[in-house]
Amino acid sequence: MSILQTIKDKVRSRSIHVSYVDLGSCNGCDIEVLACLAPRYDIEQYGIYVHNNPREADVLIVIGAYTPGWQEKLTPLWEKIPDPKAAIAVGNCPISGCCFNRRGAYIDPPVSKHIPVAAEVPGCPPRPTEILAAILSVRDAVFANWEGRQR
Amino acid sequence: MAASIIWYLREFFRPGWLKKFLFAKTAPLTTPPYFRDFPEPTGKPCQHALFCMMVCPAPGAIDVVMEEDGWRPRIHKGHCIRCGLCVEACPNGVLRSGRILETRKAEGTAFIVTFRISIDPDLCTGCGNCATSCPVNKQLDPQIGAGGHSSNDEVIMRVLDGDVHVLHEEKCTGCKTCEVSCPTRAIQIARILEGTQQPQKGGGQ
Ligand code: SF4
Ligand code: SF4
Ligand code: SF4
């Protein structure tokens, strides 16, 4: 690994920009993502910033069970995110549909059918620490030496 | 002047302060031991009572499967909502999660299951299949034969004068054999799961 790459990795690992999108959920997981921003967990001390703008995001946090309204919207949103990027499914909803997954329901989980998901955080809702740990592990797995692995 | 600038520089570039400023300060990435996490096995043998599956509110979160060394509940992450009801409902203490088992012991809470037998008299033909197939009946009155007639009034149900009569609903174990053997689906077994709490010794509140 070149020195430039090492510096890039170092900087990038302290500057992860997160965008989150709720595909139809009970709002419980949104509250837990919000709790990550609060002083108790303070996500910014790890160099993770929540912007909610896909064009400057590295990580997309996906919450919710994929309602029909998202059919034409989620994939374009995912494509707007510049590489390197990773999606994290937070909560049971994007994994299994959780309590909304009844027979004949309109939702269409899992979200990994629609966009590539790098990590899943089960729980209804998951603890903020679990969300944080997932973002940190994705950071190490997806963003480290990204240019080197592209070649 | 110079001394004061140096003083400020030294003040702002204290190594401890820089470290605090640049690196993560709090360590919240630990889970406290009382957190009600996904249920985990305690190692006690599962008796296949299936109370966990009965009480679980989340679709597809728990099933009880046969493995080499016996029955075992399996929790599916991504489905389980960590409500802890299965831990509380299990009569054999097979699962543990957070402080649930301790709380259950301290407060004397439990889930009990009762079964209710309902027979639709319009559909029932009085064939006695239910009374004959019931394994509890068979134990109580080994003489019970086709037709479901029995002279023993300890049985759960028996046929009398062409009609089936339920005598001891409370002995039903909920196996639903009768439901399966009834040709007209006249008999239905309802499982009723209810939470109980024993009054505290020493008065409580
Ligand atoms: S996983 Fe549970 S808490 Fe999270 S959005 Fe779905 S239903 Fe709500
Ligand atoms: S903790 Fe709740 S949701 Fe999870 S398996 Fe047990 S009963 Fe089901
Ligand atoms: S459910 Fe089983 S135990 Fe209960 S009455 Fe029917 S056969 Fe008998």
Side-chain angles (χ1 to χ4, degrees):
Chain A
M1 229 187 334
S2 66
I3 297 167
L4 183 65
Q5 187 63 51
T6 315
I7 295 171
K8 257 189 178 174
D9 280 357
K10 201 93 199 155
V11 171
R12 196 178 269 151
S13 76
R14 297 281 303 172
S15 166
I16 300 291
H17 291 245
V18 169
S19 162
Y20 71 86
V21 54
D22 184 338
L23 312 179
S25 79
C26 80
N27 214 226
C29 290
D30 304 62
I31 301 290
E32 298 302 313
V33 170
L34 213 64
C36 289
L37 302 172
R40 175 68 184 86
Y41 297 102
D42 194 10
I43 201 168
E44 294 200 353
Q45 70 186 328
Y46 296 90
I48 303 168
Y49 304 93
V50 178
H51 282 304
N52 248 1
N53 176 2
R55 289 206 195 274
E56 53 178 320
D58 301 304
V59 169
L60 179 70
I61 288 187
V62 185
I63 301 161
Y66 199 85
T67 49
W70 284 93
Q71 261 159 18
E72 308 95 56
K73 297 193 187 98
L74 184 62
T75 318
L77 196 150
W78 172 245
E79 279 157 7
K80 272 180 199 164
I81 300 177
D83 281 327
K85 59 186 172 183
I88 301 179
V90 166
N92 282 358
C93 280
I95 304 172
S96 70
C98 200
C99 42
F100 305 114
N101 197 358
R102 333 185 146 192
R103 194 171 301 178
Y106 288 119
I107 57 166
D108 191 16
V111 166
S112 52
K113 274 198 303 202
H114 310 288
I115 58 170
V117 168
E120 289 177 338
V121 192
C124 179
R127 280 173 65 80
T129 57
E130 292 169 334
I131 300 173
L132 245 166
I135 300 176
L136 293 179
S137 68
V138 158
R139 173 192 77 182
D140 298 337
V142 176
F143 301 123
N145 193 21
W146 190 77
E147 283 82 1
R149 280 184 286 126
Q150 285 314 98
R151 271 186 241 114
Chain B
M1 176 69 188
S4 120
I5 288 175
I6 289 169
W7 187 87
Y8 272 113
L9 287 178
R10 291 234 324 253
E11 193 64 16
F12 285 126
F13 290 93
R14 266 176 305 171
W17 194 84
L18 278 182
K19 201 168 158 230
K20 251 192 203 166
F21 185 80
L22 290 173
F23 296 98
K25 292 165 282 278
T26 57
L29 296 183
T30 50
T31 303
Y34 50 81
F35 175 58
R36 198 178 62 209
D37 210 335
F38 294 107
E40 282 177 358
T42 52
K44 292 195 184 151
C46 172
Q47 306 287 339
H48 198 226
L50 298 184
F51 282 25
C52 52
M53 283 181 72
M54 264 187 253
V55 77
C56 179
I62 189 166
D63 49 23
V64 179
V65 290
M66 189 63 168
E67 289 183 358
E68 304 94 64
D69 48 344
W71 293 98
R72 179 156 303 160
R74 254 190 342 187
I75 312 283
H76 297 282
K77 289 185 181 177
H79 293 253
C80 171
I81 63 173
R82 299 195 273 211
C83 65
L85 287 177
C86 53
V87 177
E88 202 183 337
C90 179
N92 305 307
V94 175
L95 295 167
R96 60 172 296 281
S97 166
R99 284 190 289 221
I100 295 175
L101 291 179
E102 290 84 346
T103 314
R104 184 174 77 171
K105 204 165 157 219
E107 303 194 350
T109 60
F111 280 100
I112 51 168
V113 187
T114 47
F115 301 96
R116 197 152 295 167
I117 305 170
S118 65
I119 297 170
D120 186 341
D122 294 340
L123 290 174
C124 178
T125 59
C127 68
N129 274 5
C130 54
T132 315
S133 65
C134 174
V136 181
N137 264 7
K138 197 77 191 164
Q139 241 170 25
L140 294 168
D141 181 11
Q143 310 297 328
I144 194 164
H149 303 286
S150 170
S151 52
N152 186 338
D153 50 13
E154 291 299 308
V155 293
I156 294 182
M157 71 272 222
R158 64 179 177 189
V159 173
L160 204 64
D161 303 331
D163 266 328
V164 62
H165 294 270
V166 178
L167 305 175
H168 292 283
E169 200 175 44
E170 75 283 355
K171 288 184 187 165
C172 172
T173 60
C175 68
K176 298 200 173 207
T177 314
C178 52
E179 235 184 71
V180 179
S181 68
C182 178
T184 57
R185 310 206 61 186
I187 188 164
Q188 302 282 337
I189 305 296
R191 288 173 172 152
I192 294 150
L193 190 83
E194 99 192 285
T196 62
Q197 182 162 17
Q198 254 125 48
Q200 295 293 292
K201 287 195 202 87
Q205 298 107 0

